[in-house]
């Protein structure tokens, strides 16, 4: 990752849970990521630029 506050790295993993059998959508995606010196700062998520730590992500995808 590179931003106006420098560069950092990310190591992530996770899984998808498919809601309808045999279809790629809709799905639920969740997983942790380790951020090392992230240049990204985001107030609503509590991310502070330059810090390291675990970030938990979740995403719901619904496409017709």
């Amino acid at each position: 990752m590179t931003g106006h506050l420098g560069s950092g790295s990310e190591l992530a993993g996770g899984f998808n849970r498919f809601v309808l059998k045999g279809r790629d959508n809709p799905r639920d995606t969740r997983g942790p990521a380790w951020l090392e010196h992230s240049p990204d700062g985001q107030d609503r998520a509590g991310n502070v630029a330059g810090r390291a730590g675990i970030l938990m992500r979740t995403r719901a995808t619904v496409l017709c």
Side-chain angles (χ1 to χ4, degrees):
M1 297 177 285
T2 302
H4 71 281
L5 296 174
S7 63
S9 60
E10 173 182 329
L11 177 62
F15 68 92
N16 289 314
R17 183 176 66 93
F18 298 96
V19 179
L20 299 176
K21 187 176 180 177
R23 300 215 29 208
D24 290 344
N25 294 306
R27 71 179 176 263
D28 176 37
T29 304
R30 295 171 191 242
W34 174 259
L35 303 178
E36 187 71 37
H37 305 294
S38 175
D40 176 38
Q42 190 179 70
D43 291 337
R44 67 183 167 94
N47 296 348
V48 178
R51 291 208 177 154
I54 295 175
L55 171 68
M56 293 298 294
R57 293 184 182 135
T58 184
R59 177 177 63 203
T61 304
V62 179
L63 299 174
C64 298

